[in-house]
Amino acid sequence: MKVAVVGATGMVGQVMLKVLAERNFPVTELIPVASERSVGTKIEFRDKEFEVIGLEDAVAKKPEIALFSAGGETSLEWAPKFAAAGTTVIDNSSAWRMNPENKLIVPEINASELTSEDKIIANPNCSTIQMVMALSPLHKKYNIKRVVVSTYQSITGTGVKAVEQLENEYAGKQGEMAYPYPIHRNAIPHCDVFEENGYTKEEMKLTNETKKILQDDSVAVTATAIRIPVVGGHSESVNITFENDFEINEVRRILSDFPGIKVQDNLDVNTYPMPIYAEGKDDVFVGRIRRDNSQANSLNMWIVADNLRKGAATNAVQIAEYLVENKLV
Ligand code: 2RA
């Protein structure tokens, strides 16, 4: 299968290549794609070297699948061109996520919505993916009324410049600032840009994408997204109020039984999820599951996942795997 990776030189694009190789995806021809300024650079895939090509040339090669992680503008312009050439696009930007024509997919939750007609499929935002993985099975069982989430997000979500800023700050060096404030020894309540309503786009993604994936606009979500000096993954403190009451051990069992979730929740031995241990893994880790005694039918939990893997690259590759396994491409 001819597979294009658009944004192959970027942080997520590099993880997409790694995950495609790790999961032995049936790539017969890899087409690494990047912006004109990166054309000609070399990337590695399955121990071989490939030369990056431009978007025009990539469309002409008519790949069966194109994994995009190249920003919304590139996706808005080029995903339709790939689709018109017969390619199925799986896009990691926010460009198509809330478009009613485009499916927003977390395979373990709603891959069954996909058909061969879907030519531009949206990969949800990283902080949404890990949260809905835990919400979905609980919503089915107890019917979620409201979610209050605070995120503690890895600086890898901002991009390589932020990682470099943190490394410079650790080393006491001056360098280019991805943020107008220090990241080291700080917590910045500002992920993405602020909207009129005082929330950031990142926070509104958690609200809007969750409703779409759960197919239930009645689920109320309010979010605060914080950037912290961590690189392994995003962490989330989630408070959920259900329509119906629940039994904590049954909640743990439902989560443990859900594919892609690992419950790490044993306070006797200080077992709970942490980004330093989630890094490089594809599971969504859930712990600190406990009843919220301040509110009926409510509980708290702590959710951690590698934002570059299950939060982006692995989720996209899993969508591609579903398409191949079900002969939708
Ligand atoms: C972030 N979710 O973490 C966004 C982009 N990947 O900044």
Side-chain angles (χ1 to χ4, degrees):
M1 182 167 285
K2 281 196 279 188
V3 176
V5 176
V6 178
T9 56
M11 203 179 264
V12 171
Q14 285 290 301
V15 180
M16 284 175 166
L17 292 167
K18 189 167 182 314
V19 171
L20 285 168
E22 272 176 17
R23 296 174 73 100
N24 217 4
F25 191 81
V27 181
T28 52
E29 180 184 344
L30 177 77
I31 304 167
V33 192
S35 61
E36 283 314 307
R37 70 173 182 280
S38 302
V39 167
T41 52
K42 301 283 192 316
I43 56 100
E44 279 233 341
F45 177 67
R46 287 186 182 147
D47 299 328
K48 288 204 188 85
E49 209 171 62
F50 291 79
E51 194 166 298
V52 170
I53 66 172
L55 285 150
E56 203 78 60
D57 293 344
V59 175
K61 286 178 170 283
K62 295 182 184 294
E64 279 88 356
I65 287 180
L67 302 180
F68 266 61
S69 191
E73 254 178 67
T74 299
S75 185
L76 283 171
E77 180 183 354
W78 288 92
K81 291 176 181 172
F82 276 90
T87 301
T88 298
V89 173
I90 300 165
D91 177 44
N92 192 48
S93 83
S94 55
W96 306 96
R97 289 176 185 156
M98 297 315 293
N99 185 324
E101 306 299 307
N102 300 88
K103 306 256 173 77
L104 184 62
I105 300 293
V106 178
E108 295 88 342
I109 298 173
N110 60 356
S112 57
E113 291 177 22
L114 289 169
T115 73
S116 54
E117 304 303 302
D118 293 306
K119 302 310 280 181
I120 300 177
I121 301 163
N123 208 41
N125 191 41
C126 41
S127 44
T128 305
I129 291 174
Q130 64 186 74
M131 185 172 80
V132 287
M133 278 285 286
L135 296 186
S136 173
L138 299 179
H139 185 47
K140 285 201 179 88
K141 176 75 179 169
Y142 305 114
N143 194 22
I144 294 174
K145 283 170 58 182
R146 182 172 186 251
V147 177
V148 182
V149 52
S150 298
T151 73
Y152 305 80
Q153 300 190 207
S154 162
I155 44 123
T156 56
T158 314
V160 68
K161 264 199 216 153
V163 177
E164 286 167 359
Q165 177 183 335
L166 179 60
E167 285 164 356
N168 285 335
E169 287 168 356
Y170 281 155
K173 280 195 241 163
Q174 287 303 319
E176 204 179 340
M177 300 283 278
Y179 276 94
Y181 306 109
I183 299 172
H184 183 33
R185 293 158 47 150
N186 200 5
I188 304 175
H190 186 175
C191 297
D192 208 327
V193 297
F194 281 107
E195 303 199 347
E196 285 300 302
N197 65 1
Y199 286 78
T200 60
K201 280 183 183 278
E202 187 76 5
E203 290 158 351
M204 293 314 298
K205 288 172 190 172
L206 280 154
T207 297
N208 298 327
E209 294 177 22
T210 297
K211 291 168 185 277
K212 182 168 179 180
I213 295 164
L214 297 182
Q215 294 184 317
D216 188 343
D217 280 346
S218 74
V219 174
V221 181
T222 185
T224 303
I226 311 292
R227 192 72 67 189
I228 58 167
V230 154
V231 290
H234 291 347
S235 304
E236 298 174 342
S237 171
V238 180
N239 177 279
I240 309 172
T241 298
F242 299 103
E243 194 76 45
N244 312 309
D245 201 2
F246 55 85
E247 204 279 310
I248 277 288
N249 286 329
E250 184 181 53
V251 167
R252 280 200 189 89
R253 186 187 50 69
I254 290 169
L255 291 169
S256 300
D257 290 349
F258 194 73
I261 285 184
K262 284 262 184 325
V263 171
Q264 294 179 329
D265 195 24
N266 182 344
L267 303 188
D268 297 340
V269 288
N270 293 336
T271 301
Y272 31 69
M274 290 179 274
I276 198 163
Y277 299 120
E279 186 171 12
K281 299 189 179 73
D282 291 326
D283 293 305
V284 171
F285 299 92
V286 184
R288 298 296 320 280
I289 303 164
R290 61 203 189 284
R291 184 175 286 277
D292 169 3
N293 294 310
S294 72
Q295 168 99 344
N297 302 343
S298 303
L299 61 73
N300 292 303
M301 61 174 67
W302 177 251
I303 304 171
V304 176
D306 182 326
N307 56 299
L308 297 179
R309 288 185 70 104
K310 182 55 185 172
T314 306
N315 197 73
V317 173
Q318 287 171 321
I319 293 171
E321 287 171 344
Y322 181 89
L323 294 171
V324 170
E325 282 154 21
N326 293 275
K327 299 183 174 41
L328 301 178
V329 287

